[in-house]
Amino acid sequence: MWFWWDRIWLPVNLTWADLEDKDGRVYAKASHLYVTVPYTFTFLLIRYLFERWIATPLALSFGIRERVQLKAEDNYILEYYYTTQSRNPPQSDLDGLSKKSSLSVRQVERWFRRRRSQDRPGVLKKFRESSWRFVFYLCAFIGGVVALYEKEWFYDTLEVWRGFPKQSLLDSQYWYYILEMSFYGSLLFSVAFDVKRKDFKEQIIHHLATLTLLSFSWCVNYIRIGTLVMLVHDASDVLLESAKLFNYAKWEGTCQTLFILFAIVFLVTRLIIFPFWLIHCTWVYPLHHYPPFFGYYFFNAMLVVLLCLHIFWAYLILRMIRKFMFGTVGPLNKNLVIYQYFHFLFDRGLLPFSHCVHLH
């Protein structure tokens, strides 16, 4: 098949036959990724049990309970408009909806308020979701450090490409990749019942892009650099999810402290370590060993796109911090800044501090 042509993905004078298991070396293979399918559903089961038996009692101990809300009465005409036209009808449509549904304008407005409230996820649901992600990111980060701290390429990125692509697959690398991919696969399956934010489509794209990047680096044996990239990203995710948990629990001081720590770690890992260590490692060092080829350009192009996203997110973080530190805007504008920022931060977005605004 032309897609797997050696000249596309491998350096010159190397073929897929060179990556067959031999001489005590074991290489990553595309067929290994099939195991992520059952593991993905295993993660979904573990998550269900975790949220029910651990996260929910923990939330209750913080005083977080399911919100009791009034349910909008069944009305086919208003429901059809709500699902196909708009969740918040303009004044020009209210009169027509009132006539069609035989309700007064005030009753139609009340119906839409209650219907929007039904779709607004409660704090308990958000707390359970963030608890699960926090536990995984924490375990993944610790596991990544344990798997890498004794490896030469963790301290010297020149070692990432030494002997490439004839680098044997380690058990720690295998499980690090498989578990990360299975987790993101479970997120992709769970978006249907997770908290739905306005960036729903971006969440889908993000999860698919993550799985594509991990799969590509696995198949072409870019595993050493792949593990470093995963570790760098997991570092800030842990702090982000923990800040969200304390926000839901209304521990405002702790939430703000964790957010500041998150911002610092994000800026250091995504704007310093990622470009000046990791992208430099993938852009410069490979040329010491072989001429550039399509896989080289493709991988670096994806990393640069990721860096552009990091720069954009960092700009929003710094702008928000500056406005709070120097008090250049009033409370309403502060709310708007937070609202805009956290909707741009994809599914990793931190909700605003409880005393500022509730996005949902």
Side-chain angles (χ1 to χ4, degrees), residues 86-338:
S86 173
R87 290 160 47 97
N88 195 4
Q91 188 64 38
S92 58
D93 288 350
L94 287 176
D95 292 334
L97 291 171
S98 175
K99 293 177 181 178
K100 291 179 181 179
S101 61
S102 300
L103 298 174
S104 68
V105 172
R106 183 177 295 275
Q107 288 175 320
V108 171
E109 291 175 331
R110 184 185 302 119
W111 187 95
F112 275 93
R113 283 197 301 270
R114 291 181 177 178
R115 185 63 181 84
R116 288 193 297 269
S117 181
Q118 285 179 218
D119 286 348
R120 190 177 298 132
V123 176
L124 179 59
K125 181 177 177 62
K126 297 175 185 177
F127 185 91
R128 288 195 297 244
E129 183 178 312
S130 291
S131 296
W132 167 245
R133 297 189 185 200
F134 167 75
V135 169
F136 176 81
Y137 289 136
L138 179 62
C139 293
F141 179 71
I142 294 174
V145 172
V146 171
L148 292 171
Y149 84 99
E150 289 185 341
K151 306 299 184 294
E152 299 89 346
W153 57 88
F154 185 62
Y155 306 96
D156 182 6
T157 50
L158 277 169
E159 295 295 327
V160 166
W161 302 106
R162 194 176 302 279
F164 175 84
K166 298 183 179 181
Q167 297 170 340
S168 186
L169 176 66
L170 305 176
D171 288 341
S172 57
Q173 294 172 327
Y174 173 85
W175 286 111
Y176 195 15
Y177 256 82
I178 295 301
L179 293 178
E180 284 269 0
M181 292 188 67
S182 300
F183 175 74
Y184 278 104
S186 70
L187 291 183
L188 188 61
F189 276 102
S190 65
V191 292
F193 55 85
D194 278 345
V195 174
K196 282 188 174 61
R197 301 184 175 92
K198 290 188 176 181
D199 54 14
F200 176 79
K201 293 180 180 178
E202 290 84 349
Q203 291 185 37
I204 300 293
I205 295 172
H206 173 267
H207 298 333
L208 288 174
T210 300
L211 290 171
T212 300
L213 284 167
L214 292 177
S215 300
F216 171 77
S217 62
W218 177 269
C219 293
V220 298
N221 212 26
Y222 286 6
I223 293 178
R224 290 184 179 181
I225 189 63
T227 55
L228 293 176
V229 171
M230 287 191 292
L231 185 66
V232 163
H233 285 75
D234 286 340
S236 58
D237 289 339
V238 173
L239 293 170
L240 183 61
E241 296 300 333
S242 61
K244 290 165 68 175
L245 291 175
F246 284 106
N247 174 58
Y248 300 143
K250 298 184 179 180
W251 289 30
E252 296 174 359
T254 306
C255 174
Q256 294 181 28
T257 301
L258 287 171
F259 175 74
I260 293 173
L261 289 175
F262 157 73
I264 294 172
V265 172
F266 182 93
L267 295 174
V268 171
T269 56
R270 309 291 181 94
L271 295 188
I272 298 178
I273 296 177
F274 184 71
F276 296 109
W277 268 266
L278 301 188
I279 293 184
H280 180 269
C281 170
T282 62
W283 196 281
V284 176
Y285 294 161
L287 301 181
H288 296 172
H289 303 278
Y290 48 79
F293 58 102
F294 175 79
Y296 163 84
Y297 291 117
F298 179 71
F299 189 69
N300 279 290
M302 290 192 293
L303 292 181
V304 170
V305 170
L306 195 57
L307 175 61
C308 292
L309 289 173
H310 294 168
I311 294 172
F312 176 67
W313 294 334
Y315 163 73
L316 294 173
I317 293 174
L318 292 174
R319 186 178 69 172
M320 184 178 66
I321 291 176
R322 179 180 64 84
K323 290 181 183 294
F324 272 101
M325 288 182 61
F326 297 101
T328 57
V329 294
L332 291 179
N333 288 332
K334 288 182 179 180
N335 291 348
L336 180 60
V337 170
I338 299 175

Side-chain angles (χ1 to χ4, degrees), residues 54-85:
I54 298 179
T56 299
L58 182 62
L60 294 176
S61 70
F62 280 111
I64 301 172
R65 286 173 172 77
E66 198 68 72
R67 181 182 57 197
V68 178
Q69 59 186 6
L70 295 175
K71 183 179 179 180
E73 297 178 356
D74 293 335
N75 189 303
Y76 173 78
I77 295 173
L78 299 183
E79 182 67 26
Y80 181 79
Y81 183 94
Y82 181 88
T83 55
T84 61
Q85 300 293 324

